Amino acid sequence: MLNDNSQDLATHFLKLSRLGSTRSAMDVDDDDDREEPPTELNTINSSGGFLLVSPDKLSVKYPTVHMHGHDVGVVQGNRPAPVKRLVYYFEIHVKSAGVKGQIAIGFTCEGFKMRRQPGWEQNSYGYHGDDGLLYRGQPKGEAFGPTYTSGDTVGGGINYATQEFFFTKNGAVVGTTRKDVKGRLYPTVAVHSQNEEYVAYEAQERMKQQVAIEKISLPPNLSYGVVRSYLLHYGYEDTLNSFDLAGKSNVPPISLDQGSGSNEEGRMYALSQRKVLRQLIRKGKIDAALGKLGEWYPDIVQDDKSATCFLLYCQKFIELVRVGELEEAVSYGRTKLAKFFELPGFEELVQDCVALLAYEQPHKSVVGYLLEDSQREVVADTVNAMILLRNPKVTDTQVCLRSDLEKLLRQLTASCLMKRQLEGDQGEAFHLHRVLNSGDE
């Protein structure tokens, strides 16, 4: 049973090791998350003779003030509002309200009748300047905000986090209304100048969300316990000692054992040995790490065709390439790696390792991920998990894979993805690395 569990854990890390080959793609937002926002007015799909669009396609002027009330000059943006973000927002500046001041800003669907004010037809919303009313898919408006006229700057937006439309006047939010329209929506104006603007309200919304999160009260010893369990899990003994010393005087103890399948004693298992092995692997001293494993845990390395041994052999080969010992790397590869070429699950990483020899600057190549520190961490994590699995008190192998902190982050990711799915994949795509790096910006 132990051998089966060991192989399963090692195979997990073997798959993880090759994720580095796509890391550069992961560091950049997925193409699916990139959407071009509207940049100008759509001069093709508009009210034609009822409005004049400037050559820059950013300004609109009603040609006369003597038209009928229903002959509206309406124009949409050249693209629908992007949906894979936190907030979309645009503004218009009213150069002139004309005689009646029948100006409107809002959102309309693709097949909207272009001689009707936004909000008068189904699947459209509009905030009107002459009466300050909000129109939601019918000609009858409802009290909403102040009127606006010449010299005013008015904005409309969609908050995908709350699934609401919102409108502004001169930089202040006038009000919000529930977004109950599905499908693509276009920013729409009835006459006068338009000017795209996204940053101000989005930053404001992010700040509001951050404030709401920070208001959630958590006992200080909870975060202390989560961080401490992480340091214990990965064998960072020196950091753990400093962490305990710093928090000893002001943080009461807490137990994270309930439902975790592990306890304090289990996390302390072979801590000093795990620390030594991690330090050796992170420094690239693979032979020394293999020697210590053979001395302390010979069963881990007795099968030289196991996934754990394979990752250690690969890392030794990588370290030889790193220091320019190419002839020795070739010899080592023939001795230790050749036997893995025909074994299912191993061949891709073997090929990537051997491919390092083909480049004068391998760290800049497509297999350069192997030379990053993160690859050493994968190998160190593998050895760490294998040792934790030797603890006779471990009943759940998943405890050896991840710390409590990582489980919480995985739950956060799953919850955010589920929330976005329930909202029709609208809203800002969740990227954990972006959240974790946000504190550096």
Side-chain angles (χ1 to χ4, degrees), residues 60-329:
V60 175
K61 185 176 182 180
Y62 206 67
T64 175
V65 295
H66 301 296
M67 297 292 182
H68 295 293
H70 60 273
D71 290 335
V72 182
V74 180
V75 62
Q76 294 176 324
N78 64 329
R79 299 187 187 97
V83 300
K84 296 179 179 179
R85 55 173 59 191
L86 181 64
V87 167
Y88 169 74
Y89 178 64
F90 77 103
E91 289 182 343
I92 63 171
H93 177 72
V94 184
K95 288 183 177 179
S96 173
V99 175
K100 297 182 179 180
Q102 294 177 329
I103 308 158
I105 181 173
F107 292 91
T108 59
C109 62
E110 187 171 4
F112 183 73
K113 296 178 182 179
M114 300 305 289
R115 294 187 182 182
R116 302 282 286 169
Q117 287 272 22
W120 283 1
E121 299 291 326
Q122 287 187 347
N123 296 324
S124 69
Y125 284 73
Y127 171 37
H128 292 210
D130 58 332
D131 53 21
L133 299 182
L134 175 70
Y135 291 80
R136 301 192 299 167
Q138 57 182 353
K140 183 179 180 180
E142 55 192 69
F144 185 69
T147 61
Y148 52 90
T149 186
S150 302
D152 287 329
T153 297
V154 190
I158 306 173
N159 184 333
Y160 293 108
T162 60
Q163 288 294 297
E164 291 177 320
F165 292 105
F166 64 91
F167 295 93
T168 68
K169 177 183 176 181
N170 298 327
V173 176
V174 172
T176 64
T177 184
R178 181 68 184 170
K179 176 183 175 293
D180 52 14
V181 178
K182 303 298 182 182
R184 296 290 194 175
L185 294 170
Y186 289 76
T188 305
V189 293
V191 190
H192 300 98
S193 64
Q194 181 184 23
N195 207 334
E196 297 282 342
E197 183 71 48
Y198 313 111
V199 178
Y201 190 86
E202 184 171 38
Q204 187 178 19
E205 180 64 26
R206 285 185 187 279
M207 187 175 297
K208 185 171 71 174
Q209 286 194 347
Q210 185 64 32
V211 169
I213 291 172
E214 291 175 354
K215 285 182 178 178
I216 300 174
S217 177
L218 292 175
N221 54 348
L222 178 60
S223 58
Y224 174 86
V226 170
V227 173
R228 190 173 191 279
S229 71
Y230 176 86
L231 298 175
L232 272 171
H233 179 87
Y234 285 107
Y236 295 113
E237 186 178 24
D238 296 339
T239 305
L240 176 67
N241 292 335
S242 299
F243 186 72
D244 281 346
L245 184 63
K248 188 174 182 179
S249 60
N250 53 17
V251 181
I254 184 174
S255 174
L256 299 177
D257 301 339
Q258 294 87 348
S260 68
S262 62
N263 52 39
E264 180 76 6
E265 183 181 353
R267 293 189 182 97
M268 292 292 294
Y269 181 78
L271 179 60
S272 296
Q273 293 171 328
R274 289 188 289 120
K275 179 195 78 169
V276 170
L277 287 165
R278 180 172 292 276
Q279 289 176 341
L280 290 173
I281 295 170
R282 293 180 74 183
K283 293 177 181 178
K285 299 179 179 181
I286 307 304
D287 285 338
L290 282 166
K292 290 294 184 183
L293 277 171
E295 177 185 347
W296 295 333
Y297 303 98
D299 59 315
I300 291 180
V301 292
Q302 67 182 5
D303 179 7
D304 67 351
K305 289 186 179 180
S306 68
T308 303
C309 285
F310 171 67
L311 287 173
L312 285 163
Y313 296 156
C314 285
Q315 195 61 40
K316 171 64 177 179
F317 180 90
I318 293 166
E319 300 302 337
L320 290 171
V321 174
R322 189 194 306 274
V323 297
E325 300 286 346
L326 302 186
E327 290 186 6
E328 188 175 347

Side-chain angles (χ1 to χ4, degrees), residues 317 320 328-339 341 354:
F317 180 90
L320 290 171
E328 188 175 347
V330 171
S331 176
Y332 187 84
R334 288 173 178 167
T335 304
K336 295 294 187 180
L337 298 183
K339 55 192 164 193
F341 267 107
V354 174

